Amino acid sequence: QFHMIKYEDLQWVSVLGQGSFTRIFSGYKTDIRDGEKHVTDVFLKELDVVHKNYWESFFEAASLMSQISHKHLLLVYGVNIMVQEFVEYGALDLYLQRGRSVSVSWKLDVAKQLASALNFLEEKNIVHGNICAKNLLLAREGDPSQGSSPFIKLSDPGISVAMLAKDVILDRIPWVAPEVLESPDNLTLECDKWSFGATLWEIFNSGEPPLRGWDLDQKRQLYERFLQLPPSQWTELADLIGQCMDYQAAFRPSCRSIIRQLNSLITSDYEILHAAEPVTQ
Ligand code: ATP
Ligand code: MG
């Protein structure tokens, strides 16, 4: 269903660097619609030549994203080189790590938007497979300190875990669901719930990478011992994260239940409870 973008309609502007498997660029595309010329900023992802064996999986991720449309899912225009809408504020983990003070209700908004994207995917029975704050892109900042709404878009999953080497999968602990380590080619909707839990943890810990500095062996042991990430002080939130990161996949909540629970979290309670504490975000 995706339309072809002619190579000559794409302009490369600058090299932005590298993703896990990609080389990334900014640019723009030009097209003629209704006799008028339109220029759109785009984000270009090209599979790095050293990873060319992943070509099929890269193509799959691109075509998946270009065939579905939802306000909280990133728009992908083209697939051979992944041509995406350019998202102004970039990845959410980096944004939070830059230390901008962000209110609890702002974070809660981000969580609800991600839950709505997941709900959409769940209804279509589509597994994403790589949900994490790095793959959430911030399209609108809102006013983070006043709590005026941000707007996020979930990016493409990239190379499927089924293709990845064991070490790369281990490194995705705690985002990757424990059962995926045993059977990477059997991703389910429940796996995304686990990843959602880990992503909630990131969002509410200022984008801090969970398990920073842990080596692969330590990461593996966390799962072997059925351990959890350090719980949030906000008990209701800690409880929701715990439900999502349940080692028994069948017990993880549905998206509807996640949304209901997020809606019942009252941020003012949290802010009053913690008003006496120094602001660490
Ligand atoms: P993976 O998604 O395979 O786990 P990755 O997220 O590191 O790995 P990419 O998806 O290629 O690799 O993205 C690299 C980085 O580029 C992201 O972390 C983000 O900072 C930025 N980025 C990605 N897509 C966009 C976009 N559409 N607009 C703006 N910035 C983006
Ligand atoms: Mg990505």
Side-chain angles (χ1 to χ4, degrees):
Q1 173 210 334
F2 44 84
H3 60 276
M4 291 296 258
I5 297 173
K6 287 200 241 51
Y7 203 74
E8 58 265 30
D9 292 341
L10 280 179
Q11 300 291 318
W12 263 247
V13 174
S14 59
V15 181
L16 297 177
Q18 302 213 279
S20 308
F21 303 97
T22 51
R23 304 196 322 128
I24 54 184
F25 309 88
S26 68
Y28 52 89
K29 75 176 172 83
T30 321
D31 50 333
I32 313 280
R33 258 175 284 133
D34 314 322
E36 262 182 72
K37 191 170 158 186
H38 295 263
V39 179
T40 319
D41 284 327
V42 290
F43 189 92
L44 301 158
K45 277 191 205 184
E46 186 176 47
L47 190 64
D48 199 321
V49 282
V50 300
H51 296 299
K52 61 174 184 293
N53 53 317
Y54 291 138
W55 164 249
E56 242 178 291
S57 187
F58 180 77
F59 185 81
E60 230 169 73
S63 30
L64 165 75
M65 294 297 288
S66 66
Q67 287 172 68
I68 51 181
S69 148
H70 181 267
K71 62 182 175 172
H72 291 303
L73 286 179
L74 184 74
L75 265 171
V76 174
Y77 307 114
V79 294
N80 236 324
I81 288 166
M82 225 191 280
V83 185
Q84 311 185 328
E85 60 181 318
F86 194 94
V87 180
E88 187 168 356
Y89 299 97
L92 186 70
D93 61 337
L94 298 177
Y95 179 85
L96 293 171
Q97 287 164 26
R98 266 180 248 130
R100 179 101 201 231
S101 143
V102 172
S103 73
V104 178
S105 54
W106 192 95
K107 295 175 185 172
L108 206 48
D109 264 332
V110 168
K112 286 175 186 171
Q113 292 176 15
L114 176 57
S116 105
L118 272 193
N119 188 50
F120 170 83
L121 294 173
E122 186 183 73
E123 281 171 356
K124 293 208 149 8
N125 207 17
I126 297 172
V127 179
H128 183 278
N130 194 3
I131 289 167
C132 53
K134 180 187 69 175
N135 281 335
L136 291 181
L137 301 170
L138 188 60
R140 191 179 67 216
E141 229 186 343
D143 186 340
S145 58
Q146 296 304 307
S148 94
S149 293
F151 199 92
I152 55 120
K153 300 215 173 201
L154 176 59
S155 179
D156 66 274
I159 309 304
S160 156
V161 272
M163 302 286 301
L164 300 178
K166 187 80 183 186
D167 278 6
V168 182
I169 304 181
L170 281 175
D171 197 39
R172 288 205 183 165
I173 293 175
W175 294 278
V176 67
E179 65 272 18
V180 176
L181 295 183
E182 268 78 67
S183 47
D185 45 8
N186 185 27
L187 279 184
T188 63
L189 291 168
E190 282 69 40
C191 302
D192 280 347
K193 305 287 168 44
W194 175 286
S195 310
F196 175 80
T199 307
L200 268 188
W201 191 98
E202 280 184 284
I203 296 170
F204 283 89
N205 284 279
S206 311
E208 182 193 324
L211 314 182
R212 191 208 317 255
W214 288 37
D215 64 29
L216 297 186
D217 228 32
Q218 291 169 309
K219 286 190 168 194
R220 190 165 38 76
Q221 284 179 30
L222 180 95
Y223 280 8
E224 279 170 5
R225 296 178 183 160
F226 303 105
L227 299 177
Q228 295 289 342
L229 296 175
S232 157
Q233 297 178 27
W234 189 3
T235 19
E236 286 85 354
L237 177 75
D239 182 53
L240 176 57
I241 294 175
Q243 289 172 39
C244 294
M245 300 179 83
D246 192 314
Y247 278 83
Q248 285 195 271
F251 290 165
R252 294 174 202 151
S254 66
C255 283
R256 293 186 57 160
S257 161
I258 290 174
I259 291 170
R260 194 165 3 89
Q261 295 185 60
L262 286 172
N263 285 335
S264 72
L265 292 178
I266 313 286
T267 57
S268 58
D269 286 1
Y270 180 83
E271 275 155 334
I272 291 164
L273 267 169
H274 294 85
E277 290 177 13
V279 181
T280 50
Q281 51 188 5

